[in-house]
Amino acid sequence: MPRLKKTEAQRRAERFDEHYRVSKARLKLHEPEIAAAIGVGRTTLYRCKQNPDTLTLGQFMRLGRVFGWSDEDYLDIIRAQK
């Protein structure tokens, strides 16, 4: 069987998850603190983590500010190279 290729959305979700987990561990934050910082509920944050394409631009930018992401981090998530 041929190897399945990941879609661009799947690659973006993987990159987002990696940056999210690393930043969360580095800052020692918990889900309720992150949700409060970006102005959403815990369940909304959970849904956004499962499908990052549902994040609004404002939520994405606030999340990046909380985590201290650089421009390169943003671009790494958005472009999600192979």
Side-chain angles (χ1 to χ4, degrees):
M1 275 191 127
R3 187 172 163 200
L4 296 177
K5 293 183 180 179
K6 293 182 180 176
T7 65
E8 185 177 339
Q10 289 171 324
R11 287 194 306 270
R12 254 194 325 270
E14 286 178 352
R15 298 304 301 158
F16 175 81
D17 184 55
E18 181 180 329
H19 282 280
Y20 182 91
R21 285 184 296 106
V22 168
S23 299
K24 179 181 165 187
R26 181 174 41 88
L27 296 173
K28 298 177 181 148
L29 292 173
H30 299 284
E31 303 298 327
E33 298 166 332
I34 297 168
I38 66 171
V40 298
R42 285 184 3 205
T43 55
T44 303
L45 178 63
Y46 178 76
R47 270 184 269 139
C48 290
K49 280 177 34 188
Q50 297 304 311
N51 186 7
D53 286 346
T54 62
L55 279 168
T56 65
L57 181 58
Q59 291 169 338
F60 186 63
M61 296 300 292
R62 284 191 300 267
L63 189 60
R65 257 186 262 127
V66 168
F67 286 147
W69 289 343
S70 66
D71 291 342
E72 289 80 26
D73 294 331
Y74 285 114
L75 290 175
D76 184 45
I77 294 168
I78 294 169
R79 290 186 180 156
Q81 300 297 323
K82 294 181 182 178

